[in-house]
Amino acid sequence: MNDVLLEVHDLVKWFPIKRGVFGRVQGHVKAVDGVSFSLRQGETLGLVGESGSGKTTIGRLVLKLIPHTRGRIVFEGVDITSMNYSQFRPMKKDMQIIFQDPYSSLNPRMTVGEIIAEPLLVHTNMTQKEREKRVYELLEKVTLRPEHARRYPHEFSGGQRQRIGIARALALNPKFIVADEPISALDVSIQAQITNLLIDLQRDMNISFLFIAHDLSVVKHMADSVLVLYLGKPMEYGKNEDVFVHPRHPYTQALLSAVPVPDPDYKRERIILQGEIPSPIDPPKGCVFHTRCPYATDKCKTEIPQLREVATGHFVACHYA
Amino acid sequence: MEKDNILEIKNLHVTFYTEDGIVRALQGVEYEVKHNETLGVVGESGCGKSVTSLTIMRLLPKPQAKVEEGQILFRDKETGQEINLLELPEEKMRHVRGNRISMIFQEPMTALNPVYTVGDQIMEAILIHNPETTRQEARKKAIEMLKLVGIPAAEKRVDDYPHQMSGGMRQRVMIAMALSTNPDILIADEPTTALDVTIQAQILDLINRLQEQLGMSIILITHNLGVVAQNADRIAVMYLGRIVEYAPVREIFHDPKHPYTQGLLQSVPRLDRGGLKEPLPGISGNLPSPYNPPPGCKFHPRCPYVMDRCREEEPSAVEISPGHTVRCWLHVKGEKSNE
Amino acid sequence: MNYLIKRVLQLIPTFLVATLIAFILFSLVGDPFEGLRQDPRLASQVERLRRIYGYDKDPITRYFLWIKNFLQGEWGYSIMAKRAVFQVVMERLPVSLSIGIVNTVLATLFGILLGIYSAIHLYSAADYAATALVFFGMSMPSFFFGVMALFFFVVTIPLFNVGLMTPGFHPDIANLFDKTIEYGRHLALPIFILTLLGMGGFVRYSRSAMLEVLHMDYIRTARAKGLPESVVIRKHALRNALIPIVTLLALSLPAIIGAAPITETIFSINGLGKLYIDALGANDIMVLMADLTLTISLVIIGNLLADILYAVVDPRVTLE
Ligand SMILES: Nc1ncnc2c1ncn2[C@@H]1O[C@H](COP(=O)(O)OP(=O)(O)OP(=O)(O)O)[C@@H](O)[C@H]1O
Ligand SMILES: Nc1ncnc2c1ncn2[C@@H]1O[C@H](COP(=O)(O)OP(=O)(O)OP(=O)(O)O)[C@@H](O)[C@H]1O
Ligand SMILES: [Mg+2]
Ligand SMILES: [Mg+2]
């Protein structure tokens, strides 16, 4: 068994909503509301949920890119939540991010070589020669060619740009990478290539991924454990098999039944959720999912279900799970 | 034109003349749409899915785009007449557009005009094609359509502006607008790509229900194989301006013949099978540039079964079983031995 | 409505801060009555004026005194004209307004029409002509253009007139019609020049606003409905393109009192622009202050107008 690399306890992030000239706080977007999970070395945790469920916010909180409201983030046994910038800085090189949009996340005025070398310049004392060598190594790792180092991002296709972004994230040999929808913007055949690449890299370098996606098929393929979010709250959390084979939460079940399966003869019970996702500014009372839940009772409208362990390592936030 | 077809596209060639060069966006696209059936069109970005549908609607951007060759035959349900849409005078075409053939687009966020109410925009479609309708009647019809697509409190929401609605709601409005004229064909270009899975399921369910209820043919364009598998009767797989395989849905998914179709199917991880972190066979290489396509078969640089002939000569479509055509040298008789 | 009242009330501090800054800056220039002191006969007068306008007190007190006076129409004393500033400004306002209003209306009207036309007919001859006009308007210095026009149409071919436009403009011409014609002969050339030079910005702005709208998805939706192209343009594109344009219109409100000191000087027209230049030369601070305050007021009103119009034309924006 691998060691736990990252632990998150009861993480909360409220974004204040400001109005008017003097920015009076009028309320809060409860973007992340009481999320806990742990991630082992070399494993992948999949974060799934519909838009606005707080996936990206969790990714940014864990990297300390935005301040949190409450909760604890422990990386390699060290509580990083209370650290200030200079204390946290040396740890940053172990924690990297890959973005969804390979088009906007690369500086168009830098060559690919410069882009990949940038973290080396900031975090190491490597000489120019050493950096160059490292850039070539990294390009090879993501199956690009050395001569690509001299070109600019716009000369590359979407898939190639995503490889460049991955190479940059790998530059400092990180232990942990947040991959925020790394394949959503790519073509189907390219998605498969990048998925394979990420899996290979994980195996070779023992990297842990926080893998954010709204495509459940991809998460099922990639993630050792899965956290299902709805309006910033955890609905279900467990190992891949727990969530995908024995889902206990009605929301997880509905999500799974909504995924289109590329087989015309695949038969299953379809649960079509009614209504829309409520606003996270004013989430429903009680269980946040009750407004769309096909099984909701009066209890669900008033009582907030706690995340309970229904089987070893399998947690569900539902009164009736 | 076969009698159960409502639309037949024949040997369609469309070229874009741009400052960066010439793009042969469509090269001999052919498909047909049957009465009350759904045709799924799949393929990766830039393969020509949208250009095909814009050609049907005669909405290609002028002056860059030019239809070089081909026919689009459409059967007018009322008169039973066959017409070639490409030769129709603009005035008559306007009567087809939005009336006999309607279209919905990918981005429900931007596809509605922000300065008019959704009611106005639906009524506009009704009024333009039914000049004898009064505004009152059109409004009633608009509300009725909003109810039909499942918008609660339709009488009130009819006066909403698009920004007052969520993405899913707006896509419902788009559908209401497209169907308000009782079209014979609905072209849905990536209707759910921008939506969440649960909302996608709602919208696809709605489209299917309305097809049964109102009776119409649908051209469903998507890059999501799952979406067409469960909603289409027949599939056209496109690659770089060509239809490389065209077959009934079961044959495409259970017995794909073209290496591209096979690769595409092996590119997607699946909910119903496949192990954790198993490599996906997929397709190697990148999509070729449309400005500089490879010679011969357009797929040959990425094809695992590439032969010499593929590099030089482009295969034409062959019918390997009734209603199943493939553009691949592997399936041209007498070539099998090379495999 | 409540919101509007609130907005109008919010303008007051903005106005005060802006004028205060202007006032303090002018205070740094020095004592406006210094020049008058040279004349021993005026010595007692000067002391009186200094007291009246608070020059024996600190600048802040003086500012409040000035504001109080200003609101009552006491705009100070022009050392240049040796008369009340209010009188001087009011005398010149009609001239500047006639140039400013006509030129702004023409420049915006033709600029917007041409911009929209060239966006619809992209790469047509008219579009290229419009682009040429934009370049011309943006790069041609008004003094050069003005002097050239002066040379050709006043000196060589005496089609138009120049000269001081004083209060009793041409008392020799009694007939109102002839008087108007003469008035026009004086103002036509500067108006023409200002319009031509001012149009460029509007052409460019409205062309790009319209082009942007024409690429929007909802335009494609409108076409896909089967609407005739004319309806697509008039109903769907134009209304949206007008949203940014209307804002620009409101923001160009200050131009109506003539932001044309150079042209006025070249054509020797006694408008506010020329007054400003002259006052700068004469260190006539109270005139400068009055002129600036008028402009500040129009800028502020223009901004409010822009906000209101924005909410009127764009349903996504509400005045709450
Ligand atoms: N900087 C911010 N200020 C205010 N609200 C924010 C901010 N960032 C995110 N939010 C809100 O927080 C909620 C969660 O957003 P987040 O981006 O984490 O969602 P997500 O799950 O990543 O969604 P998506 O699938 O659309 O990427 C949303 O309601 C969003 O509007
Ligand atoms: N306005 C245009 N000007 C120039 N080329 C164009 C234009 N529109 C489309 N094309 C070209 O035509 C080809 C087909 O484009 P099309 O939009 O049909 O692709 P698609 O299959 O719909 O892709 P996507 O999945 O990205 O929507 C592409 O190579 C594209 O570059
Ligand atoms: Mg996100
Ligand atoms: Mg498309």
Side-chain angles (χ1 to χ4, degrees), chain A residues 4-47:
Chain A
V4 171
L5 181 76
L6 175 77
E7 274 178 279
V8 167
H9 299 283
D10 201 22
L11 192 60
V12 174
K13 175 69 189 180
W14 289 8
F15 288 106
I17 309 162
K18 291 177 182 162
R19 289 256 170 76
V21 195
F22 303 106
R24 238 170 348 118
V25 175
Q26 303 242 314
H28 289 93
V29 180
K30 294 172 182 159
V32 176
D33 207 13
V35 167
S36 307
F37 58 82
S38 67
L39 173 60
R40 291 174 188 284
Q41 232 154 43
E43 292 199 347
T44 300
L45 171 74
L47 281 188

Short mmCIF file of all heavy atoms in Angstrom, two decimals, chain A residues 4-47:
data_model
loop_
_atom_site.label_atom_id
_atom_site.label_comp_id
_atom_site.label_asym_id
_atom_site.label_seq_id
_atom_site.Cartn_x
_atom_site.Cartn_y
_atom_site.Cartn_z
N VAL A 4 -0.20 7.88 2.13
CA VAL A 4 -1.09 8.99 1.83
C VAL A 4 -0.26 10.24 1.54
O VAL A 4 0.66 10.56 2.28
CB VAL A 4 -2.04 9.24 3.01
CG1 VAL A 4 -2.82 10.54 2.79
CG2 VAL A 4 -3.00 8.07 3.18
N LEU A 5 -0.56 10.90 0.44
CA LEU A 5 0.20 12.08 0.05
C LEU A 5 -0.55 13.34 0.43
O LEU A 5 0.01 14.30 0.93
CB LEU A 5 0.43 12.05 -1.47
CG LEU A 5 1.23 13.22 -2.02
CD1 LEU A 5 2.70 13.03 -1.70
CD2 LEU A 5 1.04 13.32 -3.53
N LEU A 6 -1.84 13.32 0.18
CA LEU A 6 -2.64 14.53 0.38
C LEU A 6 -3.89 14.18 1.17
O LEU A 6 -4.58 13.21 0.86
CB LEU A 6 -3.02 15.11 -0.98
CG LEU A 6 -3.96 16.32 -0.96
CD1 LEU A 6 -3.20 17.58 -0.58
CD2 LEU A 6 -4.62 16.51 -2.31
N GLU A 7 -4.13 14.99 2.19
CA GLU A 7 -5.37 14.80 2.94
C GLU A 7 -6.10 16.13 3.03
O GLU A 7 -5.47 17.15 3.34
CB GLU A 7 -5.05 14.34 4.36
CG GLU A 7 -4.89 12.87 4.51
CD GLU A 7 -4.53 12.55 5.95
OE1 GLU A 7 -3.35 12.68 6.29
OE2 GLU A 7 -5.45 12.23 6.72
N VAL A 8 -7.38 16.08 2.81
CA VAL A 8 -8.17 17.29 2.90
C VAL A 8 -9.29 17.05 3.90
O VAL A 8 -9.99 16.04 3.82
CB VAL A 8 -8.75 17.67 1.51
CG1 VAL A 8 -9.82 18.72 1.64
CG2 VAL A 8 -7.63 18.14 0.59
N HIS A 9 -9.38 17.95 4.89
CA HIS A 9 -10.39 17.77 5.93
C HIS A 9 -11.37 18.92 5.92
O HIS A 9 -10.98 20.06 6.13
CB HIS A 9 -9.73 17.72 7.31
CG HIS A 9 -8.77 16.60 7.47
ND1 HIS A 9 -9.18 15.31 7.68
CD2 HIS A 9 -7.42 16.56 7.42
CE1 HIS A 9 -8.12 14.52 7.76
NE2 HIS A 9 -7.03 15.26 7.60
N ASP A 10 -12.62 18.60 5.66
CA ASP A 10 -13.70 19.55 5.84
C ASP A 10 -13.41 20.91 5.19
O ASP A 10 -13.57 21.96 5.79
CB ASP A 10 -13.96 19.75 7.34
CG ASP A 10 -15.36 20.30 7.56
OD1 ASP A 10 -16.20 20.11 6.67
OD2 ASP A 10 -15.58 20.92 8.62
N LEU A 11 -12.98 20.87 3.95
CA LEU A 11 -12.58 22.08 3.24
C LEU A 11 -13.82 22.90 2.85
O LEU A 11 -14.81 22.35 2.36
CB LEU A 11 -11.79 21.69 1.98
CG LEU A 11 -11.05 22.79 1.25
CD1 LEU A 11 -10.01 23.44 2.17
CD2 LEU A 11 -10.37 22.24 0.01
N VAL A 12 -13.73 24.20 3.08
CA VAL A 12 -14.84 25.10 2.78
C VAL A 12 -14.32 26.31 2.04
O VAL A 12 -13.26 26.85 2.39
CB VAL A 12 -15.55 25.57 4.07
CG1 VAL A 12 -16.61 26.62 3.77
CG2 VAL A 12 -16.16 24.39 4.81
N LYS A 13 -15.00 26.68 0.98
CA LYS A 13 -14.67 27.94 0.32
C LYS A 13 -15.95 28.69 -0.02
O LYS A 13 -16.79 28.21 -0.79
CB LYS A 13 -13.88 27.68 -0.97
CG LYS A 13 -13.60 28.94 -1.78
CD LYS A 13 -12.60 29.84 -1.09
CE LYS A 13 -12.49 31.19 -1.77
NZ LYS A 13 -11.53 32.06 -1.09
N TRP A 14 -16.10 29.85 0.59
CA TRP A 14 -17.22 30.72 0.25
C TRP A 14 -16.67 31.94 -0.47
O TRP A 14 -15.79 32.61 0.06
CB TRP A 14 -17.96 31.17 1.52
CG TRP A 14 -18.75 30.07 2.17
CD1 TRP A 14 -18.74 28.75 1.85
CD2 TRP A 14 -19.65 30.21 3.28
NE1 TRP A 14 -19.56 28.05 2.68
CE2 TRP A 14 -20.14 28.93 3.57
CE3 TRP A 14 -20.08 31.30 4.05
CZ2 TRP A 14 -21.05 28.68 4.60
CZ3 TRP A 14 -20.98 31.05 5.08
CH2 TRP A 14 -21.46 29.77 5.34
N PHE A 15 -17.22 32.21 -1.63
CA PHE A 15 -16.84 33.44 -2.33
C PHE A 15 -17.83 34.52 -1.94
O PHE A 15 -19.04 34.35 -2.13
CB PHE A 15 -16.91 33.28 -3.85
CG PHE A 15 -15.82 32.43 -4.41
CD1 PHE A 15 -16.08 31.14 -4.85
CD2 PHE A 15 -14.53 32.92 -4.55
CE1 PHE A 15 -15.09 30.35 -5.40
CE2 PHE A 15 -13.53 32.13 -5.10
CZ PHE A 15 -13.80 30.85 -5.52
N PRO A 16 -17.36 35.63 -1.38
CA PRO A 16 -18.30 36.71 -1.07
C PRO A 16 -18.85 37.33 -2.36
O PRO A 16 -18.13 37.44 -3.35
CB PRO A 16 -17.45 37.72 -0.30
CG PRO A 16 -16.04 37.40 -0.67
CD PRO A 16 -15.98 35.96 -1.04
N ILE A 17 -20.11 37.68 -2.35
CA ILE A 17 -20.70 38.39 -3.48
C ILE A 17 -20.78 39.85 -3.10
O ILE A 17 -21.46 40.21 -2.14
CB ILE A 17 -22.12 37.89 -3.77
CG1 ILE A 17 -22.13 36.38 -3.88
CG2 ILE A 17 -22.66 38.51 -5.05
CD1 ILE A 17 -23.51 35.81 -3.72
N LYS A 18 -20.06 40.68 -3.84
CA LYS A 18 -20.04 42.10 -3.49
C LYS A 18 -20.87 42.89 -4.49
O LYS A 18 -20.89 42.60 -5.66
CB LYS A 18 -18.60 42.60 -3.47
CG LYS A 18 -17.83 42.01 -2.31
CD LYS A 18 -16.40 42.44 -2.32
CE LYS A 18 -15.66 41.76 -1.17
NZ LYS A 18 -14.23 41.78 -1.35
N ARG A 19 -21.52 43.91 -3.98
CA ARG A 19 -22.31 44.77 -4.86
C ARG A 19 -22.01 46.21 -4.53
O ARG A 19 -21.58 46.54 -3.43
CB ARG A 19 -23.81 44.53 -4.62
CG ARG A 19 -24.31 43.21 -5.11
CD ARG A 19 -25.10 43.36 -6.41
NE ARG A 19 -25.38 42.06 -7.00
CZ ARG A 19 -26.30 41.22 -6.54
NH1 ARG A 19 -27.04 41.56 -5.52
NH2 ARG A 19 -26.49 40.07 -7.11
N GLY A 20 -22.28 47.04 -5.50
CA GLY A 20 -22.21 48.47 -5.24
C GLY A 20 -20.79 49.00 -5.21
O GLY A 20 -19.81 48.27 -5.29
N VAL A 21 -20.70 50.32 -5.05
CA VAL A 21 -19.41 51.00 -5.13
C VAL A 21 -18.49 50.57 -3.99
O VAL A 21 -17.30 50.39 -4.15
CB VAL A 21 -19.62 52.53 -5.04
CG1 VAL A 21 -18.36 53.25 -5.48
CG2 VAL A 21 -20.81 52.96 -5.88
N PHE A 22 -19.08 50.40 -2.82
CA PHE A 22 -18.24 50.12 -1.66
C PHE A 22 -18.11 48.63 -1.38
O PHE A 22 -17.55 48.23 -0.39
CB PHE A 22 -18.78 50.87 -0.44
CG PHE A 22 -18.87 52.34 -0.69
CD1 PHE A 22 -20.09 52.95 -0.89
CD2 PHE A 22 -17.71 53.10 -0.81
CE1 PHE A 22 -20.17 54.30 -1.15
CE2 PHE A 22 -17.77 54.44 -1.08
CZ PHE A 22 -19.00 55.05 -1.26
N GLY A 23 -18.64 47.82 -2.31
CA GLY A 23 -18.45 46.39 -2.21
C GLY A 23 -19.02 45.79 -0.96
O GLY A 23 -18.38 45.02 -0.26
N ARG A 24 -20.27 46.14 -0.67
CA ARG A 24 -20.90 45.52 0.48
C ARG A 24 -21.12 44.04 0.18
O ARG A 24 -21.54 43.67 -0.91
CB ARG A 24 -22.23 46.19 0.77
CG ARG A 24 -22.30 46.75 2.17
CD ARG A 24 -23.51 47.64 2.41
NE ARG A 24 -24.23 48.02 1.22
CZ ARG A 24 -25.50 47.68 0.99
NH1 ARG A 24 -26.15 46.94 1.85
NH2 ARG A 24 -26.10 48.10 -0.09
N VAL A 25 -20.82 43.17 1.14
CA VAL A 25 -21.01 41.75 0.93
C VAL A 25 -22.49 41.42 1.07
O VAL A 25 -23.11 41.70 2.09
CB VAL A 25 -20.18 40.94 1.93
CG1 VAL A 25 -20.47 39.46 1.79
CG2 VAL A 25 -18.70 41.21 1.71
N GLN A 26 -23.05 40.87 -0.02
CA GLN A 26 -24.49 40.64 -0.05
C GLN A 26 -24.85 39.18 0.20
O GLN A 26 -26.01 38.84 0.28
CB GLN A 26 -25.03 41.02 -1.42
CG GLN A 26 -24.72 42.45 -1.78
CD GLN A 26 -25.98 43.23 -1.96
OE1 GLN A 26 -26.91 42.77 -2.62
NE2 GLN A 26 -26.05 44.38 -1.36
N GLY A 27 -23.83 38.34 0.24
CA GLY A 27 -24.10 36.92 0.42
C GLY A 27 -22.87 36.14 0.00
O GLY A 27 -21.82 36.75 -0.23
N HIS A 28 -22.99 34.85 -0.08
CA HIS A 28 -21.83 34.04 -0.43
C HIS A 28 -22.19 32.99 -1.45
O HIS A 28 -23.29 32.45 -1.43
CB HIS A 28 -21.27 33.35 0.82
CG HIS A 28 -20.60 34.31 1.75
ND1 HIS A 28 -21.26 34.91 2.79
CD2 HIS A 28 -19.34 34.78 1.79
CE1 HIS A 28 -20.44 35.72 3.44
NE2 HIS A 28 -19.27 35.66 2.84
N VAL A 29 -21.24 32.72 -2.35
CA VAL A 29 -21.35 31.54 -3.19
C VAL A 29 -20.66 30.43 -2.43
O VAL A 29 -19.45 30.49 -2.18
CB VAL A 29 -20.63 31.73 -4.54
CG1 VAL A 29 -20.78 30.48 -5.39
CG2 VAL A 29 -21.14 32.95 -5.26
N LYS A 30 -21.45 29.43 -2.04
CA LYS A 30 -20.84 28.33 -1.28
C LYS A 30 -20.26 27.35 -2.27
O LYS A 30 -20.84 26.31 -2.57
CB LYS A 30 -21.88 27.70 -0.37
CG LYS A 30 -22.32 28.72 0.68
CD LYS A 30 -23.48 28.24 1.52
CE LYS A 30 -23.83 29.36 2.49
NZ LYS A 30 -25.20 29.25 3.00
N ALA A 31 -19.09 27.70 -2.80
CA ALA A 31 -18.50 26.94 -3.91
C ALA A 31 -18.04 25.57 -3.46
O ALA A 31 -18.21 24.59 -4.17
CB ALA A 31 -17.34 27.72 -4.52
N VAL A 32 -17.44 25.51 -2.28
CA VAL A 32 -17.01 24.23 -1.71
C VAL A 32 -17.48 24.24 -0.26
O VAL A 32 -17.21 25.19 0.47
CB VAL A 32 -15.48 24.07 -1.78
CG1 VAL A 32 -15.05 22.78 -1.10
CG2 VAL A 32 -15.00 24.12 -3.21
N ASP A 33 -18.18 23.18 0.14
CA ASP A 33 -18.83 23.24 1.44
C ASP A 33 -18.66 21.92 2.20
O ASP A 33 -19.53 21.07 2.16
CB ASP A 33 -20.32 23.57 1.23
CG ASP A 33 -20.91 24.27 2.44
OD1 ASP A 33 -20.14 24.71 3.30
OD2 ASP A 33 -22.14 24.37 2.51
N GLY A 34 -17.50 21.79 2.85
CA GLY A 34 -17.29 20.61 3.68
C GLY A 34 -16.86 19.40 2.90
O GLY A 34 -17.55 18.38 2.88
N VAL A 35 -15.71 19.50 2.24
CA VAL A 35 -15.22 18.39 1.43
C VAL A 35 -14.00 17.77 2.09
O VAL A 35 -13.09 18.49 2.51
CB VAL A 35 -14.88 18.88 0.01
CG1 VAL A 35 -14.08 17.83 -0.74
CG2 VAL A 35 -16.15 19.25 -0.74
N SER A 36 -13.99 16.45 2.21
CA SER A 36 -12.83 15.75 2.75
C SER A 36 -12.46 14.61 1.82
O SER A 36 -13.34 13.99 1.22
CB SER A 36 -13.16 15.15 4.12
OG SER A 36 -13.68 16.12 4.99
N PHE A 37 -11.19 14.38 1.68
CA PHE A 37 -10.74 13.20 0.93
C PHE A 37 -9.27 12.97 1.21
O PHE A 37 -8.60 13.82 1.81
CB PHE A 37 -10.98 13.36 -0.58
CG PHE A 37 -10.32 14.56 -1.20
CD1 PHE A 37 -8.97 14.53 -1.56
CD2 PHE A 37 -11.04 15.73 -1.44
CE1 PHE A 37 -8.37 15.63 -2.16
CE2 PHE A 37 -10.45 16.84 -2.03
CZ PHE A 37 -9.10 16.79 -2.38
N SER A 38 -8.78 11.82 0.79
CA SER A 38 -7.33 11.62 0.88
C SER A 38 -6.87 10.95 -0.40
O SER A 38 -7.62 10.28 -1.09
CB SER A 38 -6.98 10.78 2.10
OG SER A 38 -7.48 9.47 1.93
N LEU A 39 -5.61 11.19 -0.71
CA LEU A 39 -5.06 10.70 -1.97
C LEU A 39 -3.71 10.06 -1.67
O LEU A 39 -2.85 10.66 -1.04
CB LEU A 39 -4.90 11.90 -2.92
CG LEU A 39 -4.19 11.68 -4.26
CD1 LEU A 39 -4.92 10.63 -5.09
CD2 LEU A 39 -4.13 12.99 -5.03
N ARG A 40 -3.54 8.84 -2.16
CA ARG A 40 -2.27 8.13 -1.93
C ARG A 40 -1.29 8.42 -3.05
O ARG A 40 -1.67 8.78 -4.15
CB ARG A 40 -2.52 6.62 -1.89
CG ARG A 40 -3.29 6.18 -0.71
CD ARG A 40 -3.61 4.70 -0.83
NE ARG A 40 -4.52 4.33 0.24
CZ ARG A 40 -4.14 4.16 1.49
NH1 ARG A 40 -2.86 4.30 1.83
NH2 ARG A 40 -5.01 3.83 2.41
N GLN A 41 -0.01 8.16 -2.71
CA GLN A 41 1.02 8.34 -3.71
C GLN A 41 0.78 7.42 -4.92
O GLN A 41 0.45 6.26 -4.75
CB GLN A 41 2.38 7.99 -3.10
CG GLN A 41 3.39 9.08 -3.28
CD GLN A 41 4.43 9.04 -2.19
OE1 GLN A 41 4.91 7.97 -1.83
NE2 GLN A 41 4.77 10.19 -1.67
N GLY A 42 0.93 7.98 -6.11
CA GLY A 42 0.79 7.17 -7.32
C GLY A 42 -0.63 6.83 -7.67
O GLY A 42 -0.86 6.04 -8.58
N GLU A 43 -1.59 7.39 -6.95
CA GLU A 43 -2.98 7.09 -7.27
C GLU A 43 -3.69 8.32 -7.83
O GLU A 43 -3.15 9.43 -7.83
CB GLU A 43 -3.71 6.60 -6.02
CG GLU A 43 -3.20 5.23 -5.58
CD GLU A 43 -4.18 4.52 -4.66
OE1 GLU A 43 -5.12 5.17 -4.17
OE2 GLU A 43 -3.99 3.31 -4.47
N THR A 44 -4.90 8.09 -8.31
CA THR A 44 -5.69 9.17 -8.89
C THR A 44 -7.01 9.28 -8.17
O THR A 44 -7.69 8.27 -7.95
CB THR A 44 -5.96 8.90 -10.39
OG1 THR A 44 -4.71 8.81 -11.06
CG2 THR A 44 -6.79 10.01 -11.01
N LEU A 45 -7.33 10.52 -7.79
CA LEU A 45 -8.67 10.77 -7.25
C LEU A 45 -9.46 11.52 -8.30
O LEU A 45 -9.01 12.57 -8.78
CB LEU A 45 -8.59 11.59 -5.97
CG LEU A 45 -9.95 12.07 -5.45
CD1 LEU A 45 -10.72 10.91 -4.82
CD2 LEU A 45 -9.83 13.21 -4.47
N GLY A 46 -10.60 11.00 -8.66
CA GLY A 46 -11.43 11.67 -9.65
C GLY A 46 -12.45 12.56 -8.96
O GLY A 46 -13.13 12.14 -8.03
N LEU A 47 -12.54 13.81 -9.41
CA LEU A 47 -13.58 14.71 -8.90
C LEU A 47 -14.61 14.85 -10.00
O LEU A 47 -14.30 15.31 -11.09
CB LEU A 47 -13.01 16.10 -8.63
CG LEU A 47 -12.22 16.39 -7.36
CD1 LEU A 47 -11.95 17.88 -7.26
CD2 LEU A 47 -13.00 15.91 -6.14
#
